[in-house]
Amino acid sequence: MTVKVGVIGTGMIGSEHVGRLSRQVVGARVSAVFDVATERAAEVAAPAGATAHTSWEALVADPGVDAVVIASPGELHPDQTVACIEAGKPVLCEKPLATTPAEALRVVQAEAATGRRLVQVGFMRRYDLGYIDVKKAMSDGTIGEPLLAHAVHRNASVPDFFQGEMSMTDSVVHEFDVFRWLFDSEITAVTVVPVKQSPLGAPHLRDPQIVLLRMTGGEVVTVESFVNCRYGYDVRCEVVGSLGTVSLDNPRTTVVIGGAGRSERMPADWRERFASAYLTELQVWVADVAAGRVDGPSAWDGYAATAVADAAVTSYGKGERVDIDLAAKPALYA
Ligand code: NAP
């Protein structure tokens, strides 16, 4: 079966997803796209042989669309995701599921009311081979009982529109999800600690910062967020267990030896570092949809990450620890 996918939002990541679905993912084709930027949508639709719709509602209703990818701005995700649920169509919604916990919970409740999983959230790190190895070492006893983790999330730079809080909602939100997944546990409290500011960052960024996460089991995660580190894209972590540690490093591709030195290049950005994770995410999602199921990061995961991001923004403003009180988890996500 070929899964006919409609893509809402053909900006930076939406157009990349269209390319992957059209050229690389087995068993899929892009049958429709929509973007308010109609010229961009038409440009993306043409090489894929897709219809460019005049509204996202028309795309969701199109009988030629079996499943939907949402890559529009985050505040539109809840309405668009709920429309897919109501149409009974599987949907891969880019992060964030919503920009407020209440809106994310609305999606959770809409899906739970149907009694079946239709929603997957675009937390692609769960498909990265490095993170998969870290999870294996944490669960097969290799490092004993996992106790704590240290993580760094550094971007070379961010665009001018990037505000300080966005380091929590757009960047460290990936750590919120991935450490919930690695520890198989919820985050119960978050504290954002200001750090001496880099003289090279815009003053409104308050960059870098340390984010402390406390997990249900008492484990603690420290995340360094540095969105203006200048030298490249650098995402790493080390999990410390009672018997050993496991570290996620940047994937090694090329080592240059010369000039009395040895060097490796850094990934330029998230597109390069996680290219294969995005592809695997889409390939697994398409195969699942063809098999009549949705199995990846759930609407509950999207809600929990949004709740942590919301608490982190509060902590960023107040400089205090903020506890996180999640709603009751519907049985669908047990
Ligand atoms: P982007 O380049 O701004 O693309 C968003 C597109 O959606 C733009 O073309 C925008 O048009 C369009 N749009 C605006 N209103 C719309 C509507 N009502 N319906 C459909 N499309 C609409 O943003 P992006 O970087 O691709 O990000 C899109 C989403 O993906 C965000 O939620 C972001 O957080 C997420 N994302 C996830 C990852 C990841 O690692 N998983 C990475 C990057 C982005 P205009 O430009 O005319 O407003």
Side-chain angles (χ1 to χ4, degrees), residues 113-278:
T114 71
R116 72 176 175 127
R117 288 244 358 237
L118 285 166
V119 180
Q120 177 164 327
V121 179
F123 287 126
M124 77 300 172
R125 286 193 189 183
R126 297 187 186 201
Y127 299 90
D128 176 73
L129 291 178
Y131 277 111
I132 289 170
D133 277 353
V134 171
K135 185 156 178 70
K136 183 167 178 300
M138 290 173 72
S139 52
D140 68 6
T142 307
I143 65 162
E145 192 169 340
L147 305 171
L148 63 103
H150 306 285
V152 298
H153 185 150
R154 301 183 187 138
N155 297 68
S157 62
V158 286
D160 290 343
F161 64 78
F162 199 96
Q163 295 299 312
E165 295 86 346
M166 288 175 73
S167 56
M168 302 299 125
T169 56
D170 275 53
S171 183
V172 185
V173 69
H174 282 292
E175 270 76 16
F176 300 155
D177 178 69
V178 91
F179 284 106
R180 290 180 60 254
W181 176 67
L182 288 174
F183 281 100
D184 198 13
S185 178
E186 294 295 356
I187 296 168
T188 58
V190 57
T191 314
V192 180
V193 181
V195 176
K196 178 176 177 176
Q197 190 162 344
S198 163
L200 303 179
H204 69 270
L205 287 178
R206 281 172 41 184
D207 192 44
Q209 298 163 80
I210 297 286
V211 186
L212 296 174
L213 305 175
R214 180 167 289 279
M215 316 295 299
T216 316
E219 305 92 340
V220 170
V221 180
T222 66
V223 185
E224 176 206 306
S225 163
F226 193 5
V227 299
N228 176 52
C229 80
R230 298 300 175 101
Y231 65 82
Y233 183 73
D234 193 7
V235 167
R236 286 176 283 132
C237 72
E238 179 182 27
V239 181
V240 181
S242 54
L243 292 174
T245 76
V246 56
S247 297
L248 173 90
D249 206 343
N250 286 299
R252 283 181 176 73
T253 48
T254 315
V255 174
V256 177
I257 299 174
R262 177 187 162 104
S263 63
E264 291 170 25
R265 66 178 291 281
M266 294 296 298
D269 60 23
W270 46 273
R271 281 172 289 206
E272 181 180 345
R273 167 64 181 86
F274 288 111
S276 43
Y278 290 116

Side-chain angles (χ1 to χ4, degrees), residues 11-13 34-36 40 71 73 76-77 94-95 122 174 278:
M12 188 161 49
I13 199 160
F34 169 70
D35 196 300
V36 287
R40 190 179 309 149
L76 304 170
H77 293 179
E94 261 310 337
K95 63 85 185 161
H174 282 292
Y278 290 116

